Amino acid sequence: MNEQQFFQEKPETNIFVQILQKYLPFWPLFALTIPIAMGVSFVYLRAQIPVYVANAKVLLKDPNKGSGDSKVLDALNIFSEKKIVDNEILVLKSSSIVQQVVKELDLYASVFNQGKVRLEELYGQNSPLRFVTQEEDSIQAYSKYFFTMDWKNRRIGINSQSIPFDSIIVLDNIPYRLIVNNTYNQGAIGKNYFVLLNPVAGVAGGISGSIRANPLSNVSTVLDVSVETPVPLKGQAILNKLFEVYNAEGIEDKNLIASKTLNFIEDRLRLVINQLDSVERNIERYKSKEALYTVGSEATLFLNKVNELDQKKGEIELQLEILNDVKNYIQHKGKKTGTVPSLSLVTDPTLSGLLSQLYSAEFDRDKAISSAGTQSEIVLLAIEKVNRLKADITENMDNIKANLLTIKSDIVTKTNLNNNLLSQVPQKERGLLEISRQQAVRNTIYSYLLQKREETALSSASTSSDLRVIEKANYYGPVSPISKNYYLTGLMIGVLTAVFLVLMKEQFKSRILFRDEIEGKVAVPFVGEIVQATTKSPIVILEGKRTVIAEQFRALRTNLNYIGLNEENKTLLVTSSISREGKSFIAINLAISLTLTGKRVALMEMDLRKPKLSKLMEVPRDPGISNFIVGKATYEEVVKETFIPNLFIVPAGVIPPNPTELIGKPGFTDLMTRLKRDFDYVIIDTAPIGPVTDALLINEFSDVTLYVLRHDRTPKIFLRMINELNETKKFKNMCLVFNGLKKRGISIGNFNNSYGYGYGYGYGYGYGYGYGYAIDDNKKDILGLKKLWRMIRRTIKGK
């Protein structure tokens, strides 16, 4: 096992324990940021407007699963249009229907109360006033007007005017009737009322976007319709009115189809009646002129046959006229979607199906245009589908027309054959038969049109709505804001804020804070960690002193023996990167710890530029090393005894102008030789390696080099230099000590004293803390150690 492996501590592998060790010392910061974040969440939550959900369930009637009456109406083939659930959902949320809801409920004028914390919308019985106008479509811009209620004098203050209750006021050139709610709490004070006037289309767009309608299953026509709103009663009113308007629009659409059919039949009836009247007059005149009132049985037979053929011919011609009407609809479609002409007089299922597909395709096309624009790909595909269906319908009608013309041609041929037979009847009888035949044809067509008119009128009178409400609108909530989410967010923000502050304090500093920062970049063994001294005295270790820091120096002394410091290799060089890293402090106390073992120790003050050691030990600096090297002081004069038994100080002496050159003189070599001969250990407190090279020159006289790094003092940029010094063997047996370690976190009371985690490894400060016998003089720390030891024992036992 090499030195690096010997002094390397095994890091904690439990990620939870690592996080706990890293952030628990800063618990007061978390205790501050978390309540603040939670408080902000509470204030923000109070300012949010609660949102409720109003919902209802409705049944969309399916003609394929209807009652017996609906099947009778289907047999009449007047209302052949089938419902597609997705299409009806779009119709239910369409702008035209929602705008009608806005107009009927007067939602274009919303009344609010601006509270101190949140904005409150007032609606229905909770509103003191309603604004109603008959010119809803004239509202073009958003306007806001504050108003006051003077219940005592029954006046309303608005727009710098005082208006009596239930009167009319003009706002933005639009008259509004002010309808006062006399049941409102007239004793309410501190209210800040205002009305927000909105264009109908804008309000309808907001409501339409909040409406959700979904079938309960893929095969179900029951819709669950809901709307989100801050006023639940308003949401209920919107849903109820929405169903009412939808049904009214659907009935109107159906009645329009029936109306077109009735108009067509009435036109044909008037024409047939005129023709029938003319034929009857012709019969009367012919009988009077020819004095002929009956015809023979053979003529009657021929006449009946011709009448039957003429009736069929008339029906064919009528169907041809209806096909022309359908063709005009296809080529010049009306503005109102779905007003297809009736096919009650044309019994062709293919044409009926194609027309239904055309209606759906045109609906999808209009929807795509409103949402995606006229030049988008989806719109172009929808237009192409509509054109293709129109072409198919035109082709189908051409086929139907060709078939009808063929049937008509066959009827004409048969009629001509019977006419030839009639020609054999005497002339007078033949003339009467011709006129009677025309009368019979007109009578048949007249009866047929009367029958269809009654059927159409019956269908129109029995028209029912497409939606049936099976669960009336109710509400639940609020569904937003969810207080739990806000408080969880506040907790997360509080925790992350504290974590960020800790990271800013520790991770983004340019100075060394953690031992692992050193070990990750420097391949030099550690021999100890020294905590920050809490006393002003430079001496922290004496005979019988059992503090944490004293035990750490004892551990440092022991670990240096593993590096190679002994009575044969007795010279220890103490250096660092920059000043104020605690070299003199480390050298003094390490020297004292060596004297406690009965060894004679010489402590050299070799920082000839800024000597501090003699001052700290209260020893005269002059004469000293510089005086001895130049021959102005004897060996006995520069080696001075201290109040610590077996500890001698060799002070710097007079500060020379050329310390670097002075070290290379023979006098310094002679001094080192005599010190090694007379003492068990020689500790050299030299200048920092960063600004000067004195330590490199003294290296040849040392056996072990103790490099001092100080917590929150040594810059990280010197780690690379330390590694290079070790790799190039500029120092002998180089090792590191981490000085000035402080408790991490924020100390409040005794908590962090008991359980504070340091910047070194393990609990506390490193090697000296946690061995079980290092007792601090502070009684609070004694309690802390006991608690810590109990926690360690419980952890070991698995409790």
Side-chain angles (χ1 to χ4, degrees):
M1 179 180 293
N2 58 33
E3 294 174 349
Q4 178 68 19
Q5 292 174 328
F6 180 83
F7 292 108
Q8 182 87 28
E9 292 190 24
K10 184 178 180 180
E12 178 62 56
T13 58
N14 190 311
I15 186 65
F16 176 76
V17 175
Q18 290 180 8
I19 295 175
L20 189 66
Q21 291 177 352
K22 187 170 185 177
Y23 294 108
L24 184 60
F26 294 91
W27 69 267
L29 180 62
F30 287 87
L32 177 65
T33 58
I34 291 176
I36 291 176
M38 296 285 281
V40 173
S41 298
F42 173 75
V43 174
Y44 188 70
L45 177 62
R46 284 197 61 194
Q48 298 303 301
I49 300 175
V51 177
Y52 297 82
V53 174
N55 70 325
K57 288 184 175 60
V58 295
L59 174 64
L60 177 64
K61 296 181 181 179
D62 187 353
N64 294 325
K65 301 178 181 179
S67 62
D69 293 340
S70 66
K71 293 181 179 179
V72 172
L73 297 178
D74 286 343
L76 296 176
N77 201 26
I78 294 176
F79 304 132
S80 59
E81 183 181 319
K82 303 299 182 184
K83 297 296 180 184
I84 301 176
V85 173
D86 291 341
N87 287 349
E88 294 309 307
I89 290 175
L90 294 175
V91 173
L92 187 67
K93 299 169 56 177
S94 63
S95 177
S96 60
I97 290 181
V98 180
Q99 285 188 31
Q100 187 62 31
V101 172
V102 172
K103 293 177 182 179
E104 295 191 16
L105 294 179
D106 304 321
L107 301 181
Y108 47 80
S110 301
V111 177
F112 294 88
N113 172 42
Q114 181 63 67
K116 295 181 180 179
V117 177
R118 68 167 63 138
L119 184 66
E120 178 187 11
E121 183 177 357
L122 307 178
Y123 179 80
Q125 296 301 314
N126 194 35
S127 176
L129 188 63
R130 286 176 55 208
F131 291 75
V132 180
T133 182
Q134 300 298 322
E135 302 178 11
E136 306 96 337
D137 295 329
S138 300
I139 305 175
Q140 299 298 327
Y142 294 88
S143 302
K144 183 178 182 181
Y145 294 94
F146 286 89
F147 66 89
T148 58
M149 302 294 296
D150 186 354
W151 297 98
K152 182 177 180 180
N153 298 317
R154 299 187 61 80
R155 300 189 72 84
I156 301 169
I158 183 172
N159 197 24
S160 302
Q161 303 179 50
S162 181
I163 308 298
F165 281 8
D166 298 325
S167 58
I168 294 177
I169 185 174
V170 177
L171 301 174
D172 297 335
N173 299 320
I174 301 174
Y176 292 89
R177 176 171 293 280
L178 306 180
I179 302 177
V180 178
N181 178 16
N182 293 315
T183 62
Y184 187 76
N185 181 15
Q186 301 180 9
I189 59 175
K191 299 293 185 179
N192 192 16
Y193 302 116
F194 68 87
V195 61
L196 190 61
L197 304 177
N198 307 284
V200 173
V203 178
I207 294 176
S208 179
S210 65
I211 294 176
R212 300 289 182 269
N214 300 292
L216 296 184
S217 66
N218 293 333
V219 296
S220 174
T221 59
V222 176
L223 303 181
D224 185 5
V225 186
S226 63
V227 60
E228 293 186 357
T229 173
V231 185
L233 295 179
K234 179 180 176 180
Q236 287 181 290
I238 289 174
L239 290 183
N240 292 331
K241 184 60 67 174
L242 181 68
F243 303 147
E244 180 182 333
V245 172
Y246 174 85
N247 284 330
E249 292 278 345
I251 292 174
E252 180 183 354
D253 187 52
K254 293 177 181 179
N255 288 339
L256 181 61
I257 300 174
S259 176
K260 292 183 65 175
T261 303
L262 287 172
N263 291 336
F264 175 79
I265 293 175
E266 292 292 343
D267 290 340
R268 296 300 302 173
L269 278 173
R270 284 192 292 270
L271 177 62
V272 171
I273 289 173
N274 292 333
Q275 293 175 348
L276 190 58
D277 290 341
S278 176
V279 170
E280 289 176 349
R281 286 193 295 271
N282 290 338
I283 291 176
E284 183 180 354
R285 286 195 298 269
Y286 186 82
K287 287 182 177 181
S288 299
K289 178 181 178 181
E290 301 294 338
L292 183 64
Y293 299 98
T294 60
V295 295
S297 59
E298 186 179 2
T300 303
L301 178 62
F302 293 148
L303 179 61
N304 291 337
K305 190 66 175 178
V306 171
N307 288 340
E308 181 182 351
L309 294 172
D310 286 340
Q311 178 182 347
K312 292 181 179 179
K313 180 181 176 184
E315 292 177 359
I316 296 297
E317 291 175 346
L318 182 61
Q319 292 183 28
L320 289 172
E321 291 183 11
I322 292 180
L323 285 177
N324 290 331
D325 190 25
V326 174
K327 186 174 183 180
N328 290 332
Y329 166 76
I330 297 300
Q331 295 177 350
H332 309 286
K333 187 175 182 299
K335 295 182 179 179
K336 189 171 183 62
T337 304
T339 57
V340 296
S342 173
L343 295 179
S344 60
L345 304 179
V346 178
T347 56
D348 186 82
T350 302
L351 181 57
S352 176
L354 288 174
L355 283 173
S356 297
Q357 294 180 33
L358 176 63
Y359 167 72
S360 299
E362 288 177 336
F363 184 89
D364 293 341
R365 178 200 60 192
D366 295 340
K367 173 194 168 187
I369 290 175
S370 63
S371 60
T374 57
Q375 298 300 321
S376 64
E377 182 178 358
I378 187 173
V379 172
L380 297 177
L381 292 175
I383 293 175
E384 181 183 355
K385 181 178 180 181
V386 170
N387 295 334
R388 186 171 64 251
L389 284 171
K390 286 184 177 181
D392 293 342
I393 292 172
T394 303
E395 182 180 359
N396 181 262
M397 287 193 299
D398 290 340
N399 294 334
I400 295 174
K401 186 175 180 180
N403 292 334
L404 292 176
L405 290 175
T406 301
I407 296 173
K408 180 181 177 181
S409 176
D410 184 60
I411 291 173
V412 170
T413 301
K414 293 180 179 179
T415 302
N416 292 334
L417 177 61
N418 283 277
N419 286 333
N420 291 332
L421 295 176
L422 279 174
S423 63
Q424 300 175 8
V425 179
Q427 183 174 2
K428 288 183 179 183
E429 291 182 357
R430 188 168 63 248
L432 181 58
L433 287 174
E434 290 287 346
I435 300 174
S436 299
R437 186 185 69 180
Q438 295 178 12
Q439 182 186 29
V441 171
R442 299 298 182 271
N443 281 329
T444 302
I445 294 175
Y446 179 75
S447 299
Y448 180 76
L449 291 174
L450 286 177
Q451 178 186 358
K452 290 301 179 181
R453 184 177 67 177
E454 292 302 318
E455 291 174 353
T456 304
L458 176 62
S459 299
S460 177
S462 61
T463 300
S464 61
S465 59
D466 290 329
L467 281 184
R468 181 165 65 89
V469 179
I470 58 178
E471 283 189 14
K472 293 183 178 180
N474 51 49
Y475 70 91
Y476 61 89
V479 296
S480 175
I482 301 175
S483 58
K484 177 180 66 176
N485 293 345
Y486 277 78
Y487 289 131
L488 285 176
T489 302
L491 177 63
M492 291 296 298
I493 292 176
V495 171
L496 292 177
T497 300
V499 170
F500 177 75
L501 293 176
V502 172
L503 292 177
M504 288 292 294
K505 179 180 184 298
E506 295 185 343
Q507 300 298 326
F508 301 105
K509 270 198 171 185
S510 61
R511 299 174 181 177
I512 298 173
L513 294 179
F514 297 95
R515 175 171 167 175
D516 57 6
E517 293 177 341
I518 305 171
E519 292 179 334
K521 296 182 180 180
V522 178
V524 180
F526 265 90
V527 290
E529 294 175 344
I530 307 297
V531 303
Q532 177 69 30
T534 58
T535 63
K536 294 183 179 180
S537 173
I539 300 175
V540 296
I541 179 171
L542 291 172
E543 182 69 35
K545 194 174 183 64
R546 305 286 291 175
T547 61
V548 171
I549 191 170
E551 292 301 324
Q552 286 183 323
F553 272 106
R554 292 185 175 94
L556 175 61
R557 179 188 64 198
T558 303
N559 293 336
L560 285 173
N561 290 333
Y562 288 103
I563 294 297
L565 183 66
N566 49 48
E567 294 183 1
E568 295 181 1
N569 300 316
K570 61 179 64 177
T571 306
L572 175 68
L573 176 66
V574 181
T575 187
S576 67
S577 303
I578 58 176
S579 62
R580 297 178 60 190
E581 290 183 290
K583 299 183 305 299
S584 299
F585 173 76
I586 296 292
I588 291 172
N589 287 279
L590 182 59
I592 295 175
S593 71
L594 290 172
T595 63
L596 296 179
T597 63
K599 305 299 182 180
R600 285 168 50 85
V601 180
L603 183 57
M604 298 181 65
E605 187 178 28
M606 280 304 299
D607 189 351
L608 302 180
R609 290 173 173 81
K610 294 182 179 180
K612 296 180 181 178
L613 194 147
S614 56
K615 182 179 180 180
L616 294 174
M617 296 298 296
E618 299 179 355
V619 173
R621 193 180 67 196
D622 189 18
I625 296 174
S626 60
N627 303 89
F628 178 83
I629 293 175
V630 297
K632 293 185 179 182
T634 64
Y635 174 78
E636 289 74 12
E637 290 177 331
V638 299
V639 179
K640 302 177 181 181
E641 190 174 1
T642 67
F643 64 92
I644 303 295
N646 294 327
L647 177 62
F648 294 83
I649 298 294
V650 184
V654 178
I655 298 177
N658 56 344
T660 303
E661 289 78 5
L662 197 65
I663 294 173
K665 292 184 180 295
F668 181 74
T669 303
D670 181 52
L671 177 62
M672 293 299 302
T673 301
R674 298 181 65 175
L675 289 173
K676 289 182 178 182
R677 182 192 63 197
D678 297 339
F679 292 92
D680 297 317
Y681 291 100
V682 178
I683 298 178
I684 306 173
D685 178 22
T686 186
I689 194 65
V692 295
T693 60
D694 294 5
L696 294 174
L697 299 176
I698 303 174
N699 177 58
E700 62 176 297
F701 300 101
S702 67
D703 300 308
V704 177
T705 302
L706 181 62
Y707 202 101
V708 179
L709 300 168
R710 184 166 184 174
H711 166 78
D712 201 17
R713 173 63 184 169
T714 305
K716 295 179 181 178
I717 57 175
F718 282 100
L719 294 177
R720 182 177 179 181
M721 182 192 71
I722 295 172
N723 206 40
E724 291 176 353
L725 291 173
N726 181 60
E727 291 176 353
T728 56
K729 305 297 182 181
K730 293 293 181 66
F731 290 112
K732 298 177 182 178
N733 294 325
M734 190 174 179
C735 57
L736 303 178
V737 61
F738 200 14
N739 183 37
L741 289 179
K742 303 174 184 176
K743 292 178 184 284
R744 293 184 68 244
I746 302 171
S747 180
I748 296 180
N750 191 42
F751 186 87
N752 277 18
N753 287 337
S754 300
Y755 300 103
Y757 300 91
Y759 286 91
Y761 281 146
Y763 292 103
Y765 298 101
Y767 299 109
Y769 200 106
Y771 278 47
Y773 59 83
I775 304 175
D776 202 298
D777 293 336
N778 191 321
K779 293 183 179 179
K780 292 183 179 179
D781 280 341
I782 293 175
L783 296 176
L785 286 171
K786 289 181 178 179
K787 291 181 181 179
L788 180 59
W789 179 242
R790 286 197 298 267
M791 184 177 72
I792 295 174
R793 291 180 63 188
R794 286 196 300 267
T795 303
I796 295 173
K797 293 179 180 180
K799 295 183 179 179

